[in-house]
Amino acid sequence: MKDYTLFDWLTVSAYLAVGLLFAYLVRINSLLKGTPEEIRKLADSPWQPAHLKETYERLRACPVDYTANLPPKQDRRYVSSEASSCCSSWRAAPLPRTSGSSTSARQNAATCRRAPAAAVDFAQADITSPSSVAAAFARPWPPAAGRLPLTVFHTAAVIIPSDRSPHVYAFPERVNVAGTRHVLEAAACAGADVFSCTSSASVAIRPIEPFVAPWRLGAWPRHVWQVLDCRDFFGRPLRPHAEFFGNYPASKAVAERLVCAANRRGFRTGCIRPANGVYGSPSDNILGDPLSRAVMPTWATHIVQSFVHGANVAVAHLHHEAALLRPDSPQAGRPYVVTDPNPPISYNHMYTAIRTLSIHPFMVLSLPPALMLLLAHANEWWSVLPYKFPALKGVIPAVGGDARYLKPGLFSICTHLVATNEESSRPVSEGGLGYKGVVTTVEGMVQQILEWNVEHAGENGQGYIARKAYTTSVSLADQIQKLGALSNTITISGRYTSEE
């Protein structure tokens, strides 16, 4: 009989450990690819190609009326701030519809393309500089407009959702927190009596805990599905940074508290939380990014989430303004979640729409989530090395391309996230906003694909041209950060109209 040496036992133990680790990762992979029954019951039914084509033809003949369901006209001045937000251009569009006979609308928006908003003049300001923002607000108004009360819509923010390390928190803090404080102070000094800020429903997201203990048989990872509401705001202190999935929601949560705490008589403030991803703009990450790709690598095809069209966010802000104008408004000093007026969808709904309707070829490359999770942790560890050890700056190469965004924070926003309009849709008399979305998710996404096809159609409608260069709000924020001294520049401008 063979005598086993210590080396033999160590070899067998190593093989056993590797086998157990592999089996554990297979289990984690299976869990991350699953959809809990609670979420299946809430999700919208699959989008069928025939229905998508029917919706496409209907919208081509009669586009969505984004001005539907707006509150009564207001005779006011408007200032709107934007950096890389997805909804400012939509908010500027309804302003002429909601304004009275003498209107002034100012907007900080570098990417505004919608027709009414395109007429708005633009002036740049450094959102991190109090004097620069104050100077923008101090620009003179025409005499007729200068006497009108002032509403400020603040949406300017930078969106880098994958970063969570405190070592790189300074940039979103400088823009999202300090920038919000400066706009808030300038608005108050300018005599504004309404301040409506775009927050984010992502501030409610808890970091997913994907590594389930091996002995918890049948258990889902903690926070694999979550409800996006405002319970984190009411009666609870701000969570520590580590309890947010990333620097972006942490900074937006701080900014939200600043805005809501500033509420007082004569200066009504509050926030709108779009859930979960905003689409429908020229730089959105949800639909615009996959539209711009021939191959979409993803592990989130099955993930169910509530999305919101930028036009619906704009409409929500206008209802928010109307509610804040009421004396002693209970809607002031708090956030409201808004989403599209339909059940949540999976990413596969959207990918089916792109495959069915886009004039460009499109395919999905499914990736194993457990493997991507391990790579995300490795990438994050590598990216923070120069901050922990300054001597390594300029020595070790930085990860480039889309891979630089692959970090654990992405797995928290690629969980099942469900929001509801229950509070925001209540009548104003019952403490709600009276909000009703103007476009469903299927209509909004089909309309965006239709606009994409028109933009990329060949001559005389024959064939198609190559995909144009596309910049998402995430990659835009990355570019802005690299500009250094120019990284905090936004634009503020005015447009003066009269219907007299």
Side-chain angles (χ1 to χ4, degrees), residues 51-254:
H51 174 62
L52 290 168
K53 293 176 182 178
E54 177 186 346
T55 304
Y56 187 93
E57 294 303 323
R58 172 170 59 83
L59 295 179
R60 179 156 61 179
C62 184
V64 174
D65 179 11
Y66 294 112
T67 64
N69 300 322
L70 296 182
K73 294 182 179 181
Q74 306 291 341
D75 196 24
R76 303 176 63 81
R77 293 177 292 156
Y78 292 90
V79 169
S80 180
S81 68
E82 182 198 342
S84 62
S85 170
C86 297
C87 54
S88 278
S89 59
W90 285 105
R91 179 155 45 259
L95 288 180
R97 163 67 177 80
T98 59
S99 302
S101 60
S102 180
T103 304
S104 178
R106 288 183 178 175
Q107 184 176 10
N108 340 354
T111 59
C112 186
R113 296 185 185 178
R114 303 297 168 184
V120 179
D121 299 323
F122 301 102
Q124 291 189 343
D126 182 354
I127 195 173
T128 66
S129 166
S131 59
S132 180
V133 175
F137 271 81
R139 292 176 60 213
W141 299 88
R147 295 189 296 269
L148 295 174
L150 174 63
T151 291
V152 175
F153 294 116
H154 176 57
T155 83
V158 289
I159 305 173
I160 308 179
S162 57
D163 284 340
R164 63 176 182 173
S165 170
H167 292 291
V168 292
Y169 180 63
F171 176 54
E173 182 183 42
R174 189 168 65 245
V175 179
N176 298 347
V177 179
T180 296
R181 182 186 295 111
H182 298 153
V183 176
L184 188 65
E185 293 171 349
C189 290
D193 58 348
V194 171
F195 189 95
S196 181
C197 177
T198 304
S199 181
S200 171
S202 68
V203 303
I205 299 175
R206 297 278 182 166
I208 186 175
E209 299 176 15
F211 297 109
V212 180
W215 54 85
R216 292 181 60 203
L217 299 177
W220 289 96
R222 192 177 182 200
H223 301 143
V224 73
W225 67 273
Q226 302 180 51
V227 175
L228 304 183
D229 53 27
C230 296
R231 286 181 294 176
D232 63 292
F233 179 85
F234 294 104
R236 301 182 184 182
L238 188 68
R239 305 197 306 273
H241 182 278
E243 294 185 19
F244 292 93
F245 75 82
N247 292 334
Y248 170 70
S251 64
K252 292 296 286 184
V254 174

Side-chain angles (χ1 to χ4, degrees), residues 238-441:
L238 188 68
R239 305 197 306 273
H241 182 278
E243 294 185 19
F244 292 93
F245 75 82
N247 292 334
Y248 170 70
S251 64
K252 292 296 286 184
V254 174
E256 181 183 85
R257 297 286 176 124
L258 286 174
V259 170
C260 294
N263 178 64
R264 61 182 182 270
R265 184 177 293 275
F267 187 53
R268 295 303 189 190
T269 67
C271 296
I272 295 295
R273 291 183 175 184
N276 167 52
V278 182
Y279 69 98
S281 82
S283 61
D284 77 71
N285 308 293
I286 303 300
L287 177 56
D289 183 37
L291 263 177
S292 67
R293 299 173 182 263
V295 178
M296 183 66 190
T298 180
W299 64 87
T301 304
H302 65 294
I303 292 295
V304 174
Q305 295 189 352
S306 298
F307 298 111
V308 60
H309 194 284
N312 287 334
V313 181
V315 169
H317 272 286
L318 294 172
H319 282 284
H320 190 222
E321 177 205 24
L324 295 182
L325 287 172
R326 293 166 60 93
D328 300 318
S329 167
Q331 290 85 352
R334 58 156 296 176
Y336 282 89
V337 173
V338 296
T339 186
D340 285 346
N342 52 263
I345 67 167
S346 72
Y347 278 86
N348 192 51
H349 286 71
M350 179 176 64
Y351 298 149
T352 298
I354 297 174
R355 278 194 300 266
T356 303
L357 302 176
S358 176
I359 60 176
H360 292 108
F362 175 79
M363 66 173 291
V364 172
L365 175 62
S366 295
L367 303 173
L371 174 61
M372 304 311 295
L373 180 61
L374 295 178
L375 292 175
H377 279 280
N379 185 37
E380 182 180 60
W381 173 83
W382 181 264
S383 67
V384 300
L385 278 179
Y387 297 95
K388 293 182 176 180
F389 306 100
L392 295 178
K393 286 186 177 180
V395 177
I396 63 174
V399 177
D402 288 343
R404 67 187 183 276
Y405 302 124
L406 180 60
K407 295 175 183 176
L410 286 182
F411 285 81
S412 293
I413 55 172
C414 289
T415 53
H416 305 284
L417 302 170
V418 177
T420 175
N421 293 316
E422 181 180 358
E423 283 193 297
S424 58
S425 295
R426 290 175 184 166
V428 175
S429 59
E430 298 178 11
L433 303 180
Y435 161 77
K436 183 180 179 182
V438 297
V439 56
T440 63
T441 305

